[in-house]
Amino acid sequence: MAAAAAVVTPSGLEDGVSRSRGEEAGEVVVERGPGAAYHMFVVMEDLVEKLKLLRYEEDLLRKNNLKPPSRHYFALPTNPGEQFYMFCTLAAWLINKAGHPFEQPQEYDDPNATISNILSELRSGRTADFPPSKLKSGYGEHVCYVLDCLAEEALKYIGFTWKRPTYPVEELEEETVAEDDAELTLNKVDEEFVEEETDNEENFIDLNVLKAQTYRLDMNESAKQEDILESTTDAAEWSLEVERVLPQLKVTIRTDNKDWRIHVDQMHQHKSGIESALKETKGFLDKLHNEISRTLEKIGSREKYINNQLEHLVQEYRAAQAQLSEARERYQQGNGGVTERTKLLSEVTEELEKVKQEMEEKGSSMTDGAPLVRIKQSLTKLKQETVQMDIRIGVVEHTLLQSKLKEKSNMTRDMHATIIPESTIGSY
């Protein structure tokens, strides 16, 4: 397990990155070292260990029926769609583990919206100075960086701390004074390590303290070894013991096809085989090259001879080709005039047929008595209509006369009704 996790830069790059300032422009230039391309593999292995500490196999994989990712799952491209879905699922689970409510993404959600939500949650505690399109592929150093940061936040939220390492106790047959000194040095180193651990905000083990501790232990052991200057073993007993144990010290090395030494031997064998085969085949190839060059020279000389012999025929052929092209041009021009004239002829014939049809219709109408019959029928219809109109006019006149007479009688009746009798006038 990677006990000491280094602090990752916002861009996800740590190993193999060097910064230098330009003398003239004064800008910071980031130069990636040779190890930067492999740093994401280290981050991915640390991420797997942190996920195991968060018990993601029980809380996430078994509940969602997901396969556990490999140690380099997000570092290498295998299936971008599956990797992107796994990345979104892990990120949502880690955000929820860190105490922030986050909905679990689905397969048909908008990937841009999902990535923006994840980055907004990440930027609340960390920096992410890279475009969101880097996460759409589902793999790469930026994906490993985002998941590693979210895993660290989740470990902080649950209160996980890296414990002090426990070293195995070795039984040393030394003087008590040396043991007391070693214990004192170990206690001092442990105290320094505890102080460094409490001061560390990220709760990670300081590698410098571990290096100092191991260095001091090595110095103590070397001091103890320097004290032993004389050997108490007997040479005869040592030789007898060597003869007794010698048959058991035979080492059998199993050949592994994946070993680089075997590959190197095979490469040397293939190289020697290629060189021996090249010596044999080079002579045949040289002979073949000489024969091909001689045949090409013969073919060129014969071609020149044939061209000289058939030069007048070639000129005649070219003249015939020129005459043929001129004849084809004239034929095309004449064919174009014929087509135009055929079009005019077809138009004239159509107009003639129309005129003939009109003449036939007029001649048939002049000899036929159908128009006279039509005229007679129309006259009879007009007479009938005039009789009907006369009847209607008479009826209307009669009604008018009746109305006038009725009005006159009403007027006279009114006039008689308004005359005052003379007896009434005399009384006055």
Side-chain angles (χ1 to χ4, degrees):
M1 184 184 297
V7 179
V8 185
T9 57
S11 61
L13 303 176
E14 177 193 16
D15 190 9
V17 178
S18 61
R19 296 178 180 271
S20 62
R21 293 184 178 274
E23 296 179 355
E24 297 180 357
E27 297 179 354
V28 178
V29 180
V30 180
E31 297 179 357
R32 292 169 62 91
Y38 304 99
H39 178 65
M40 58 182 173
F41 294 96
V42 180
V43 177
M44 183 62 202
E45 291 182 357
D46 293 341
L47 173 63
V48 172
E49 299 298 334
K50 292 173 186 176
L51 292 175
K52 288 180 180 178
L53 293 174
L54 293 169
R55 302 173 65 88
Y56 83 112
E57 295 177 350
E58 300 176 358
D59 298 341
L60 178 65
L61 299 180
R62 292 180 183 176
K63 290 182 180 179
N64 296 324
N65 294 324
L66 296 174
K67 294 181 181 179
S70 62
R71 300 188 69 84
H72 300 146
Y73 182 75
F74 292 109
L76 298 173
T78 55
N79 188 355
E82 181 182 352
Q83 285 177 320
F84 180 74
Y85 177 70
M86 191 69 181
F87 162 69
C88 295
T89 305
L90 272 175
W93 181 74
L94 290 172
I95 291 168
N96 289 321
K97 274 284 187 181
H100 301 284
F102 194 85
E103 294 182 359
Q104 192 71 21
Q106 303 297 326
E107 289 187 26
Y108 301 102
D109 291 346
D110 187 9
N112 296 320
T114 305
I115 291 170
S116 64
N117 294 330
I118 293 170
L119 288 177
S120 64
E121 293 290 338
L122 178 65
R123 290 191 180 102
S124 62
R126 298 294 183 95
T127 56
D129 54 353
F130 54 86
S133 61
K134 296 288 185 181
L135 303 178
K136 192 176 288 185
S137 60
Y139 66 90
E141 56 185 1
H142 300 91
V143 173
C144 297
Y145 167 69
V146 171
L147 292 176
D148 187 65
C149 293
L150 294 175
E152 288 180 1
E153 295 295 330
L155 289 172
K156 285 183 187 178
Y157 182 77
I158 64 175
F160 177 80
T161 55
W162 298 103
K163 295 182 180 179
R164 189 160 52 88
T166 57
Y167 298 97
V169 179
E170 296 180 357
E171 295 181 358
L172 300 174
E173 297 178 356
E174 301 293 338
E175 295 180 357
T176 57
V177 178
E179 290 179 355
D180 294 334
D181 294 337
E183 288 179 357
L184 289 173
T185 55
L186 284 172
N187 292 327
K188 289 179 181 179
V189 171
D190 292 339
E191 290 176 358
E192 292 178 359
F193 175 72
V194 171
E195 291 177 358
E196 291 291 334
E197 185 179 8
T198 54
D199 294 333
N200 192 2
E201 294 179 355
E202 300 291 336
N203 292 325
F204 292 126
I205 295 173
D206 192 356
L207 291 176
N208 295 322
V209 177
L210 289 175
K211 290 179 180 178
Q213 182 181 0
T214 54
Y215 178 72
R216 289 174 184 175
L217 289 174
D218 293 336
M219 292 295 291
N220 291 326
E221 289 179 358
S222 63
K224 291 175 183 178
Q225 290 176 0
E226 288 177 356
D227 293 337
I228 303 170
L229 298 175
E230 295 180 358
S231 178
T232 59
T233 59
D234 190 5
E237 292 178 358
W238 179 261
S239 62
L240 290 173
E241 183 69 20
V242 169
E243 290 178 358
R244 186 179 65 82
V245 182
L246 186 60
Q248 300 178 1
L249 295 177
K250 292 181 180 180
V251 180
T252 58
I253 299 172
R254 295 180 181 178
T255 59
D256 189 6
N257 294 325
K258 295 182 179 179
D259 191 7
W260 63 272
R261 297 178 182 85
I262 296 172
H263 290 294
V264 170
D265 294 335
Q266 289 178 357
M267 288 170 65
H268 287 298
Q269 292 175 2
H270 292 308
K271 183 181 179 182
S272 61
I274 290 167
E275 288 177 354
S276 62
L278 181 61
K279 291 179 181 177
E280 295 178 359
T281 55
K282 190 174 182 181
F284 296 108
L285 292 173
D286 291 334
K287 290 179 181 178
L288 185 61
H289 179 265
N290 294 326
E291 290 178 358
I292 291 169
S293 61
R294 284 197 297 271
T295 52
L296 287 174
E297 289 177 358
K298 290 179 182 179
I299 290 168
S301 61
R302 289 180 182 177
E303 186 178 358
K304 290 178 181 178
Y305 176 75
I306 291 168
N307 289 327
N308 293 325
Q309 293 293 327
L310 301 177
E311 187 175 1
H312 63 281
L313 296 175
V314 172
Q315 291 178 358
E316 291 178 359
Y317 176 74
R318 289 175 181 173
Q321 285 288 107
Q323 292 178 1
L324 180 61
S325 62
E326 291 178 358
R328 284 179 180 175
E329 290 178 358
R330 290 195 298 270
Y331 172 75
Q332 289 177 358
Q333 292 177 359
N335 193 9
V338 170
T339 53
E340 292 178 357
R341 289 182 177 82
T342 50
K343 288 181 181 179
L344 292 173
L345 180 61
S346 62
E347 292 176 357
V348 171
T349 51
E350 288 178 357
E351 291 179 357
L352 182 61
E353 287 177 356
K354 289 180 181 179
V355 172
K356 286 181 180 180
Q357 289 179 359
E358 290 178 357
M359 293 293 291
E360 288 177 355
E361 289 177 357
K362 289 181 180 179
S364 61
S365 62
M366 290 175 67
T367 56
D368 192 7
L372 295 174
V373 175
R374 291 174 185 171
I375 292 168
K376 289 181 180 180
Q377 290 177 357
S378 62
L379 288 173
T380 54
K381 286 181 181 180
L382 286 172
K383 287 180 181 180
Q384 291 176 0
E385 289 177 357
T386 52
V387 170
Q388 290 177 1
M389 290 296 292
D390 291 336
I391 293 168
R392 289 178 181 177
I393 290 167
V395 171
V396 171
E397 287 179 353
H398 179 70
T399 54
L400 287 171
L401 182 62
Q402 290 292 330
S403 63
K404 286 181 180 180
L405 291 173
K406 191 173 182 180
E407 288 179 358
K408 189 175 181 181
S409 63
N410 290 330
M411 289 176 66
T412 55
R413 186 177 58 193
D414 293 336
M415 289 176 66
H416 288 296
T418 54
I419 295 172
I420 300 172
E422 293 178 358
S423 59
T424 58
I425 296 170
S427 63
Y428 289 112

mmCIF file of all heavy atoms in Angstrom, residues 230-262:
data_model
loop_
_atom_site.group_PDB
_atom_site.id
_atom_site.type_symbol
_atom_site.label_atom_id
_atom_site.label_comp_id
_atom_site.label_asym_id
_atom_site.label_seq_id
_atom_site.Cartn_x
_atom_site.Cartn_y
_atom_site.Cartn_z
ATOM 1 N N GLU A 230 36.875 -10.128 15.249
ATOM 2 C CA GLU A 230 37.481 -11.441 15.309
ATOM 3 C C GLU A 230 36.400 -12.499 15.134
ATOM 4 O O GLU A 230 35.279 -12.340 15.625
ATOM 5 C CB GLU A 230 38.191 -11.647 16.644
ATOM 6 C CG GLU A 230 39.384 -10.722 16.853
ATOM 7 C CD GLU A 230 40.052 -10.958 18.193
ATOM 8 O OE1 GLU A 230 39.544 -11.823 18.943
ATOM 9 O OE2 GLU A 230 41.058 -10.289 18.474
ATOM 10 N N SER A 231 36.756 -13.592 14.463
ATOM 11 C CA SER A 231 35.834 -14.697 14.225
ATOM 12 C C SER A 231 36.196 -15.861 15.142
ATOM 13 O O SER A 231 37.367 -16.233 15.273
ATOM 14 C CB SER A 231 35.910 -15.152 12.765
ATOM 15 O OG SER A 231 35.056 -16.247 12.566
ATOM 16 N N THR A 232 35.198 -16.458 15.752
ATOM 17 C CA THR A 232 35.397 -17.580 16.672
ATOM 18 C C THR A 232 35.120 -18.922 16.042
ATOM 19 O O THR A 232 35.165 -19.953 16.718
ATOM 20 C CB THR A 232 34.473 -17.402 17.887
ATOM 21 O OG1 THR A 232 33.116 -17.341 17.442
ATOM 22 C CG2 THR A 232 34.827 -16.123 18.649
ATOM 23 N N THR A 233 34.777 -18.964 14.732
ATOM 24 C CA THR A 233 34.462 -20.215 14.056
ATOM 25 C C THR A 233 35.728 -20.964 13.695
ATOM 26 O O THR A 233 36.777 -20.361 13.424
ATOM 27 C CB THR A 233 33.638 -19.942 12.792
ATOM 28 O OG1 THR A 233 34.392 -19.084 11.939
ATOM 29 C CG2 THR A 233 32.309 -19.299 13.136
ATOM 30 N N ASP A 234 35.644 -22.314 13.673
ATOM 31 C CA ASP A 234 36.767 -23.179 13.319
ATOM 32 C C ASP A 234 36.739 -23.432 11.819
ATOM 33 O O ASP A 234 35.665 -23.694 11.241
ATOM 34 C CB ASP A 234 36.682 -24.493 14.086
ATOM 35 C CG ASP A 234 37.952 -25.317 13.922
ATOM 36 O OD1 ASP A 234 38.897 -24.786 13.292
ATOM 37 O OD2 ASP A 234 37.987 -26.459 14.409
ATOM 38 N N ALA A 235 37.891 -23.382 11.179
ATOM 39 C CA ALA A 235 37.957 -23.562 9.725
ATOM 40 C C ALA A 235 37.597 -24.978 9.325
ATOM 41 O O ALA A 235 36.925 -25.201 8.305
ATOM 42 C CB ALA A 235 39.359 -23.210 9.230
ATOM 43 N N ALA A 236 37.993 -25.977 10.124
ATOM 44 C CA ALA A 236 37.670 -27.379 9.793
ATOM 45 C C ALA A 236 36.171 -27.620 9.873
ATOM 46 O O ALA A 236 35.560 -28.229 8.984
ATOM 47 C CB ALA A 236 38.429 -28.312 10.740
ATOM 48 N N GLU A 237 35.535 -27.086 10.937
ATOM 49 C CA GLU A 237 34.075 -27.244 11.053
ATOM 50 C C GLU A 237 33.363 -26.512 9.915
ATOM 51 O O GLU A 237 32.354 -26.985 9.397
ATOM 52 C CB GLU A 237 33.621 -26.712 12.406
ATOM 53 C CG GLU A 237 34.107 -27.539 13.593
ATOM 54 C CD GLU A 237 33.669 -26.949 14.913
ATOM 55 O OE1 GLU A 237 33.018 -25.856 14.873
ATOM 56 O OE2 GLU A 237 33.958 -27.536 15.976
ATOM 57 N N TRP A 238 33.876 -25.350 9.590
ATOM 58 C CA TRP A 238 33.261 -24.579 8.477
ATOM 59 C C TRP A 238 33.347 -25.344 7.167
ATOM 60 O O TRP A 238 32.373 -25.394 6.405
ATOM 61 C CB TRP A 238 33.973 -23.237 8.375
ATOM 62 C CG TRP A 238 33.438 -22.378 7.258
ATOM 63 C CD1 TRP A 238 33.943 -22.208 6.034
ATOM 64 C CD2 TRP A 238 32.251 -21.597 7.306
ATOM 65 N NE1 TRP A 238 33.180 -21.364 5.284
ATOM 66 C CE2 TRP A 238 32.109 -20.972 6.057
ATOM 67 C CE3 TRP A 238 31.303 -21.356 8.311
ATOM 68 C CZ2 TRP A 238 31.051 -20.124 5.765
ATOM 69 C CZ3 TRP A 238 30.246 -20.503 8.010
ATOM 70 C CH2 TRP A 238 30.137 -19.899 6.744
ATOM 71 N N SER A 239 34.506 -25.986 6.868
ATOM 72 C CA SER A 239 34.642 -26.761 5.629
ATOM 73 C C SER A 239 33.747 -27.986 5.642
ATOM 74 O O SER A 239 33.138 -28.348 4.620
ATOM 75 C CB SER A 239 36.106 -27.159 5.435
ATOM 76 O OG SER A 239 36.526 -27.987 6.513
ATOM 77 N N LEU A 240 33.629 -28.655 6.805
ATOM 78 C CA LEU A 240 32.720 -29.804 6.901
ATOM 79 C C LEU A 240 31.265 -29.394 6.664
ATOM 80 O O LEU A 240 30.498 -30.075 5.976
ATOM 81 C CB LEU A 240 32.872 -30.473 8.286
ATOM 82 C CG LEU A 240 34.178 -31.228 8.551
ATOM 83 C CD1 LEU A 240 34.248 -31.687 10.003
ATOM 84 C CD2 LEU A 240 34.315 -32.413 7.606
ATOM 85 N N GLU A 241 30.894 -28.260 7.248
ATOM 86 C CA GLU A 241 29.521 -27.771 7.058
ATOM 87 C C GLU A 241 29.270 -27.413 5.596
ATOM 88 O O GLU A 241 28.195 -27.661 5.051
ATOM 89 C CB GLU A 241 29.291 -26.552 7.954
ATOM 90 C CG GLU A 241 27.873 -26.004 7.908
ATOM 91 C CD GLU A 241 26.884 -26.950 8.555
ATOM 92 O OE1 GLU A 241 27.301 -27.819 9.358
ATOM 93 O OE2 GLU A 241 25.677 -26.818 8.253
ATOM 94 N N VAL A 242 30.271 -26.834 4.937
ATOM 95 C CA VAL A 242 30.124 -26.481 3.520
ATOM 96 C C VAL A 242 29.973 -27.729 2.677
ATOM 97 O O VAL A 242 29.137 -27.794 1.749
ATOM 98 C CB VAL A 242 31.311 -25.622 3.055
ATOM 99 C CG1 VAL A 242 31.311 -25.464 1.537
ATOM 100 C CG2 VAL A 242 31.262 -24.260 3.705
ATOM 101 N N GLU A 243 30.778 -28.783 2.959
ATOM 102 C CA GLU A 243 30.654 -30.029 2.203
ATOM 103 C C GLU A 243 29.299 -30.690 2.426
ATOM 104 O O GLU A 243 28.726 -31.298 1.531
ATOM 105 C CB GLU A 243 31.787 -30.984 2.617
ATOM 106 C CG GLU A 243 33.164 -30.538 2.139
ATOM 107 C CD GLU A 243 34.258 -31.477 2.622
ATOM 108 O OE1 GLU A 243 33.908 -32.431 3.358
ATOM 109 O OE2 GLU A 243 35.425 -31.249 2.285
ATOM 110 N N ARG A 244 28.770 -30.551 3.656
ATOM 111 C CA ARG A 244 27.471 -31.154 3.939
ATOM 112 C C ARG A 244 26.327 -30.418 3.237
ATOM 113 O O ARG A 244 25.375 -31.017 2.748
ATOM 114 C CB ARG A 244 27.246 -31.160 5.449
ATOM 115 C CG ARG A 244 25.984 -31.903 5.894
ATOM 116 C CD ARG A 244 25.870 -31.870 7.397
ATOM 117 N NE ARG A 244 25.668 -30.516 7.889
ATOM 118 C CZ ARG A 244 24.466 -29.894 7.917
ATOM 119 N NH1 ARG A 244 23.396 -30.512 7.439
ATOM 120 N NH2 ARG A 244 24.379 -28.678 8.382
ATOM 121 N N VAL A 245 26.427 -29.114 3.166
ATOM 122 C CA VAL A 245 25.320 -28.307 2.609
ATOM 123 C C VAL A 245 25.482 -28.071 1.114
ATOM 124 O O VAL A 245 24.555 -27.628 0.438
ATOM 125 C CB VAL A 245 25.233 -26.967 3.374
ATOM 126 C CG1 VAL A 245 24.070 -26.118 2.882
ATOM 127 C CG2 VAL A 245 25.085 -27.214 4.858
ATOM 128 N N LEU A 246 26.682 -28.416 0.549
ATOM 129 C CA LEU A 246 26.945 -28.099 -0.855
ATOM 130 C C LEU A 246 25.950 -28.732 -1.829
ATOM 131 O O LEU A 246 25.510 -28.060 -2.769
ATOM 132 C CB LEU A 246 28.368 -28.528 -1.204
ATOM 133 C CG LEU A 246 28.865 -28.147 -2.605
ATOM 134 C CD1 LEU A 246 28.836 -26.627 -2.773
ATOM 135 C CD2 LEU A 246 30.269 -28.691 -2.846
ATOM 136 N N PRO A 247 25.535 -30.010 -1.671
ATOM 137 C CA PRO A 247 24.542 -30.549 -2.621
ATOM 138 C C PRO A 247 23.200 -29.811 -2.607
ATOM 139 O O PRO A 247 22.475 -29.802 -3.582
ATOM 140 C CB PRO A 247 24.377 -32.012 -2.171
ATOM 141 C CG PRO A 247 25.613 -32.325 -1.425
ATOM 142 C CD PRO A 247 26.025 -31.054 -0.751
ATOM 143 N N GLN A 248 22.876 -29.211 -1.466
ATOM 144 C CA GLN A 248 21.607 -28.498 -1.355
ATOM 145 C C GLN A 248 21.676 -27.076 -1.888
ATOM 146 O O GLN A 248 20.670 -26.397 -1.953
ATOM 147 C CB GLN A 248 21.161 -28.462 0.105
ATOM 148 C CG GLN A 248 20.950 -29.846 0.708
ATOM 149 C CD GLN A 248 20.553 -29.760 2.170
ATOM 150 O OE1 GLN A 248 20.421 -28.666 2.709
ATOM 151 N NE2 GLN A 248 20.392 -30.933 2.805
ATOM 152 N N LEU A 249 22.885 -26.609 -2.211
ATOM 153 C CA LEU A 249 23.040 -25.222 -2.681
ATOM 154 C C LEU A 249 23.001 -25.086 -4.189
ATOM 155 O O LEU A 249 23.319 -24.030 -4.715
ATOM 156 C CB LEU A 249 24.373 -24.663 -2.171
ATOM 157 C CG LEU A 249 24.485 -24.510 -0.660
ATOM 158 C CD1 LEU A 249 25.875 -24.010 -0.298
ATOM 159 C CD2 LEU A 249 23.429 -23.554 -0.122
ATOM 160 N N LYS A 250 22.678 -26.164 -4.884
ATOM 161 C CA LYS A 250 22.580 -26.069 -6.341
ATOM 162 C C LYS A 250 21.323 -25.287 -6.719
ATOM 163 O O LYS A 250 20.228 -25.607 -6.260
ATOM 164 C CB LYS A 250 22.528 -27.460 -6.955
ATOM 165 C CG LYS A 250 23.839 -28.224 -6.811
ATOM 166 C CD LYS A 250 23.747 -29.588 -7.458
ATOM 167 C CE LYS A 250 25.066 -30.354 -7.319
ATOM 168 N NZ LYS A 250 24.967 -31.701 -7.950
ATOM 169 N N VAL A 251 21.491 -24.293 -7.537
ATOM 170 C CA VAL A 251 20.386 -23.416 -7.962
ATOM 171 C C VAL A 251 19.987 -23.780 -9.372
ATOM 172 O O VAL A 251 20.832 -23.806 -10.275
ATOM 173 C CB VAL A 251 20.804 -21.931 -7.880
ATOM 174 C CG1 VAL A 251 19.657 -21.053 -8.331
ATOM 175 C CG2 VAL A 251 21.233 -21.587 -6.464
ATOM 176 N N THR A 252 18.740 -24.098 -9.540
ATOM 177 C CA THR A 252 18.202 -24.404 -10.876
ATOM 178 C C THR A 252 17.397 -23.203 -11.336
ATOM 179 O O THR A 252 16.393 -22.831 -10.709
ATOM 180 C CB THR A 252 17.320 -25.660 -10.831
ATOM 181 O OG1 THR A 252 16.267 -25.437 -9.884
ATOM 182 C CG2 THR A 252 18.124 -26.879 -10.428
ATOM 183 N N ILE A 253 17.835 -22.593 -12.379
ATOM 184 C CA ILE A 253 17.161 -21.401 -12.918
ATOM 185 C C ILE A 253 16.203 -21.844 -14.009
ATOM 186 O O ILE A 253 16.614 -22.446 -15.010
ATOM 187 C CB ILE A 253 18.181 -20.399 -13.470
ATOM 188 C CG1 ILE A 253 19.120 -19.948 -12.342
ATOM 189 C CG2 ILE A 253 17.475 -19.198 -14.087
ATOM 190 C CD1 ILE A 253 20.282 -19.112 -12.818
ATOM 191 N N ARG A 254 14.962 -21.573 -13.790
ATOM 192 C CA ARG A 254 13.947 -21.905 -14.779
ATOM 193 C C ARG A 254 13.916 -20.821 -15.868
ATOM 194 O O ARG A 254 13.940 -19.633 -15.575
ATOM 195 C CB ARG A 254 12.567 -22.010 -14.135
ATOM 196 C CG ARG A 254 12.457 -23.150 -13.141
ATOM 197 C CD ARG A 254 11.068 -23.183 -12.544
ATOM 198 N NE ARG A 254 10.962 -24.274 -11.564
ATOM 199 C CZ ARG A 254 9.852 -24.509 -10.852
ATOM 200 N NH1 ARG A 254 8.795 -23.752 -11.013
ATOM 201 N NH2 ARG A 254 9.836 -25.519 -9.991
ATOM 202 N N THR A 255 13.860 -21.307 -17.079
ATOM 203 C CA THR A 255 13.844 -20.360 -18.200
ATOM 204 C C THR A 255 12.464 -19.728 -18.326
ATOM 205 O O THR A 255 11.444 -20.426 -18.371
ATOM 206 C CB THR A 255 14.198 -21.088 -19.507
ATOM 207 O OG1 THR A 255 13.246 -22.130 -19.712
ATOM 208 C CG2 THR A 255 15.592 -21.662 -19.445
ATOM 209 N N ASP A 256 12.453 -18.443 -18.321
ATOM 210 C CA ASP A 256 11.215 -17.684 -18.494
ATOM 211 C C ASP A 256 11.245 -17.014 -19.857
ATOM 212 O O ASP A 256 12.190 -16.280 -20.178
ATOM 213 C CB ASP A 256 11.091 -16.632 -17.395
ATOM 214 C CG ASP A 256 9.731 -15.967 -17.411
ATOM 215 O OD1 ASP A 256 8.883 -16.418 -18.197
ATOM 216 O OD2 ASP A 256 9.538 -15.012 -16.642
ATOM 217 N N ASN A 257 10.222 -17.290 -20.633
ATOM 218 C CA ASN A 257 10.189 -16.720 -21.994
ATOM 219 C C ASN A 257 10.047 -15.203 -21.996
ATOM 220 O O ASN A 257 10.325 -14.553 -22.993
ATOM 221 C CB ASN A 257 9.039 -17.345 -22.785
ATOM 222 C CG ASN A 257 9.267 -18.824 -23.040
ATOM 223 O OD1 ASN A 257 10.410 -19.242 -23.240
ATOM 224 N ND2 ASN A 257 8.203 -19.611 -23.029
ATOM 225 N N LYS A 258 9.602 -14.667 -20.877
ATOM 226 C CA LYS A 258 9.415 -13.225 -20.809
ATOM 227 C C LYS A 258 10.656 -12.501 -20.287
ATOM 228 O O LYS A 258 10.628 -11.289 -20.133
ATOM 229 C CB LYS A 258 8.222 -12.902 -19.907
ATOM 230 C CG LYS A 258 6.895 -13.394 -20.456
ATOM 231 C CD LYS A 258 5.761 -12.994 -19.536
ATOM 232 C CE LYS A 258 4.415 -13.472 -20.084
ATOM 233 N NZ LYS A 258 3.300 -13.115 -19.194
ATOM 234 N N ASP A 259 11.713 -13.250 -19.983
ATOM 235 C CA ASP A 259 12.923 -12.615 -19.466
ATOM 236 C C ASP A 259 13.644 -11.873 -20.592
ATOM 237 O O ASP A 259 13.726 -12.346 -21.724
ATOM 238 C CB ASP A 259 13.841 -13.690 -18.877
ATOM 239 C CG ASP A 259 14.987 -13.056 -18.097
ATOM 240 O OD1 ASP A 259 14.956 -11.822 -17.926
ATOM 241 O OD2 ASP A 259 15.890 -13.796 -17.667
ATOM 242 N N TRP A 260 14.190 -10.702 -20.271
ATOM 243 C CA TRP A 260 14.832 -9.885 -21.306
ATOM 244 C C TRP A 260 16.136 -10.512 -21.786
ATOM 245 O O TRP A 260 16.546 -10.298 -22.928
ATOM 246 C CB TRP A 260 15.080 -8.477 -20.774
ATOM 247 C CG TRP A 260 16.033 -8.418 -19.614
ATOM 248 C CD1 TRP A 260 15.742 -8.531 -18.298
ATOM 249 C CD2 TRP A 260 17.444 -8.227 -19.687
ATOM 250 N NE1 TRP A 260 16.846 -8.423 -17.533
ATOM 251 C CE2 TRP A 260 17.927 -8.228 -18.360
ATOM 252 C CE3 TRP A 260 18.349 -8.047 -20.739
ATOM 253 C CZ2 TRP A 260 19.256 -8.062 -18.070
ATOM 254 C CZ3 TRP A 260 19.671 -7.877 -20.447
ATOM 255 C CH2 TRP A 260 20.141 -7.890 -19.124
ATOM 256 N N ARG A 261 16.782 -11.307 -20.936
ATOM 257 C CA ARG A 261 18.034 -11.937 -21.373
ATOM 258 C C ARG A 261 17.776 -12.937 -22.496
ATOM 259 O O ARG A 261 18.564 -13.044 -23.455
ATOM 260 C CB ARG A 261 18.703 -12.628 -20.185
ATOM 261 C CG ARG A 261 19.123 -11.677 -19.069
ATOM 262 C CD ARG A 261 19.737 -12.414 -17.908
ATOM 263 N NE ARG A 261 20.085 -11.493 -16.819
ATOM 264 C CZ ARG A 261 19.239 -11.100 -15.882
ATOM 265 N NH1 ARG A 261 17.985 -11.539 -15.902
ATOM 266 N NH2 ARG A 261 19.629 -10.262 -14.937
ATOM 267 N N ILE A 262 16.678 -13.707 -22.358
ATOM 268 C CA ILE A 262 16.336 -14.668 -23.418
ATOM 269 C C ILE A 262 16.027 -13.934 -24.707
ATOM 270 O O ILE A 262 16.426 -14.357 -25.808
ATOM 271 C CB ILE A 262 15.154 -15.540 -22.959
ATOM 272 C CG1 ILE A 262 15.577 -16.380 -21.757
ATOM 273 C CG2 ILE A 262 14.659 -16.433 -24.089
ATOM 274 C CD1 ILE A 262 14.449 -17.132 -21.112
#
